[in-house]
Amino acid sequence: MEKTWRWFGKKDKITLAMLRQIGVEGIVTALHEVPNGEIWTSEAIEDLKTYIESFGLHWSVVESLPVSEPIKYAGAERDALIENYKVSLANLGKAGIKTVCYNFMPVIDWIRTDLQHPWEDGTSSLYFDKVRFAYFDLKILDRKGAEADYSPEELRKVEELDKVITEAEKDELVDAIIVKTQGFVNGNIKEGDKNPVAIFKRLLALYEGIDRATLRENMRYFLSAIMPVCEEHGINMCVHPDDPPFQVLGLPRIVTDEQDIDWFLNAVDNPHNGLTFCAGSLSAGEQNDTRKLARKFAKRTHFVHLRSTKAMPGGNFIESSHLEGRGHLIDLIRIFERENPELPMRVDHGRMMLGDEDKGYNAGYSFHGRMLALAQVEGMMAVVDNELRNGK
């Protein structure tokens, strides 16, 4: 597999020169400065592509060309936004950029409640605490009907937490869940917004009455519309699984497990309609066996995210070492190297370590932590390559 790295453009504190030195081959990036829904021009694409190539690297994967919210909830602007999306895809294809990662998660992308959960060795990881998430939902958002989504024991723990939680901790929850993890991913809420909770509640309201079946049909509509452009320009679309892969905040999530993946691949049965196999997102769901999913969907996978999670008590989970956890990464590497060996892959959500926490990196996208992860994954890849050469 090709070793790639998610890079956030020319303003990223992690430079392309740094990435060249640690063995990165391809770059995963986007035109982050272009507002959602606007066209990615050929000029802007070529400018960034040329800049990447000047460092001896190449633009391997787009992550992401965002799917605007009105496309997901079928707003009045849907068709116009899809037309813009098609123009952007065509411009990418003409520039030779053929793999586009995207997601179809309503409003909110990946969710964590703690961006620097400490390990005993002094490093830290992203962490999901279900009770703290329930507190955010019930006490900060005050979402109507939210109580029905939690067990009596979880509701009791929320009430206990409410007696001791500080205002600073509440602010940290808002930051972790809807500000620092979302602004650089989907652009819906940005750091500096004066009232992110109010903005978030307005976004949630757009999905009232949208259930899983409706969201699925909206995804089918979108994919059906863009597939002719993908066929013309040889572009592979690869949807990212929902993270975590279960329903949250009353929103439907439709890329959570084997059944969901089967559905969208068959709904628009085209080889250009494929999967981003994110081992971390999938492993965060206890219903998922990543090895089984990889064996089944390897041929329809266009991009791989190699990371892993560890289950914790109470439905919590933490980003684990890339060598451990429920991701089973070495087994996945064996499967993909046999079944689809030309795939781009990137490590993901590395630990904060060796001063990463003071550098202002995007949450989950440290330098030293991901560099360690890349070294670990590169070692696993070397083992698998040796096995294949020796016929094992």
Side-chain angles (χ1 to χ4, degrees):
M1 290 187 282
E2 179 191 21
K3 295 176 290 183
T4 70
W5 183 281
R6 191 171 190 186
W7 176 72
F8 294 98
K10 296 176 184 179
K11 295 180 181 179
D12 196 327
K13 297 176 187 298
I14 300 169
T15 68
L16 295 178
M18 293 163 68
L19 299 184
R20 182 79 185 276
Q21 290 185 39
I22 65 172
V24 170
E25 297 165 336
I27 296 300
V28 178
T29 193
L31 299 183
H32 293 284
E33 70 280 5
V34 178
N36 287 2
E38 293 191 9
I39 290 171
W40 288 17
T41 66
S42 293
E43 293 77 12
I45 292 167
E46 287 291 348
D47 176 75
L48 188 57
K49 179 173 179 276
T50 300
Y51 181 79
I52 292 168
E53 290 173 349
S54 72
F55 288 86
L57 300 164
H58 73 281
W59 189 349
S60 178
V61 179
V62 170
E63 185 178 351
S64 296
L65 179 57
V67 179
S68 301
E69 298 297 334
I71 295 175
K72 298 173 190 174
Y73 64 76
E77 318 97 308
R78 172 170 67 169
D79 288 340
L81 287 166
I82 290 175
E83 288 305 311
N84 284 358
Y85 203 99
K86 289 160 66 175
V87 174
S88 296
L89 285 178
N91 290 341
L92 286 165
K94 292 170 187 174
I97 303 164
K98 304 292 188 178
T99 304
V100 176
C101 173
Y102 71 104
N103 76 68
F104 219 80
M105 290 179 259
V107 181
I108 192 166
D109 204 287
W110 53 275
I111 302 171
R112 301 295 185 272
T113 56
D114 189 343
L115 305 183
Q116 294 189 34
H117 190 79
W119 290 81
E120 290 182 359
D121 61 7
T123 63
S124 65
S125 291
L126 303 173
Y127 183 68
F128 179 84
D129 183 305
K130 191 172 182 183
V131 170
R132 284 187 172 264
F133 183 75
Y135 184 92
F136 168 81
D137 192 5
L138 291 157
K139 300 295 187 180
I140 297 176
L141 277 186
D142 190 27
R143 181 173 64 88
K144 183 179 178 180
E147 294 84 357
D149 291 348
Y150 303 101
S151 70
E153 177 66 10
E154 289 163 348
L155 294 174
R156 182 186 66 79
K157 289 181 178 179
V158 167
E159 293 304 321
E160 290 179 356
L161 178 60
D162 192 41
K163 296 174 184 177
V164 298
I165 193 169
T166 66
E167 291 302 314
E169 288 175 316
K170 293 178 187 178
D171 290 342
E172 288 172 2
L173 266 182
V174 172
D175 257 6
I177 296 172
I178 63 173
V179 179
K180 289 184 177 177
T181 56
Q182 303 304 315
F184 71 94
V185 174
N186 61 29
N188 284 336
I189 296 174
K190 301 177 178 65
E191 292 194 59
D193 285 340
K194 291 183 178 180
N195 195 336
V197 173
I199 296 170
F200 191 71
K201 291 174 80 167
R202 288 198 295 271
L203 288 166
L204 289 179
L206 295 171
Y207 286 87
E208 289 181 6
I210 305 290
D211 59 12
R212 277 172 52 84
T214 303
L215 190 63
R216 277 182 164 184
E217 287 308 310
N218 293 347
M219 185 181 188
R220 187 206 303 264
Y221 186 95
F222 166 72
L223 288 171
S224 297
I226 66 171
M227 278 299 112
V229 177
C230 294
E231 290 176 343
E232 180 180 355
H233 295 282
I235 292 173
N236 289 326
M237 297 294 295
C238 40
V239 72
H240 191 288
D242 301 334
D243 185 7
F246 45 78
Q247 312 310 302
V248 294
L249 302 174
L251 296 167
R253 308 274 259 190
I254 59 171
V255 190
T256 65
D257 56 18
E258 180 180 357
Q259 181 183 22
D260 284 348
I261 297 169
D262 260 331
W263 182 87
F264 85 80
L265 292 177
N266 291 318
V268 180
D269 191 9
N270 186 305
H272 295 286
N273 171 31
L275 174 68
T276 293
F277 194 100
C278 180
S281 298
L282 292 167
S283 69
E286 294 185 13
Q287 76 273 26
N288 292 324
D289 180 336
T290 58
R291 295 160 293 188
K292 177 184 176 183
L293 295 175
R295 283 190 289 269
K296 181 169 182 177
F297 298 115
K299 296 296 187 184
R300 292 290 290 273
T301 294
H302 299 315
F303 185 28
V304 178
H305 290 181
L306 291 179
R307 65 177 174 89
S308 186
T309 62
K310 179 181 178 182
M312 309 288 277
N316 304 343
F317 64 87
I318 194 166
E319 306 279 351
S320 72
S321 162
H322 284 60
L323 299 174
E324 301 172 346
R326 298 186 294 194
H328 303 290
L329 299 191
I330 193 165
D331 291 334
L332 298 188
I333 292 169
R334 288 188 177 107
I335 293 165
F336 286 117
E337 290 286 20
R338 287 187 173 95
E339 299 294 327
N340 201 348
E342 302 304 316
L343 287 173
M345 76 81 192
R346 70 170 176 86
V347 297
D348 202 5
H349 293 188
R351 294 192 187 191
M352 288 286 191
M353 60 190 302
L354 301 174
D356 281 333
E357 59 275 9
D358 299 325
K359 300 297 189 298
Y361 299 140
N362 287 328
Y365 292 92
S366 62
F367 178 63
H368 291 109
R370 281 191 290 166
M371 183 170 67
L372 171 62
L374 181 61
Q376 291 170 328
V377 167
E378 196 167 16
M380 288 186 270
M381 290 171 63
V383 168
V384 172
D385 288 345
N386 185 64
E387 290 173 351
L388 292 173
R389 282 195 300 270
N390 289 291
K392 294 183 181 180

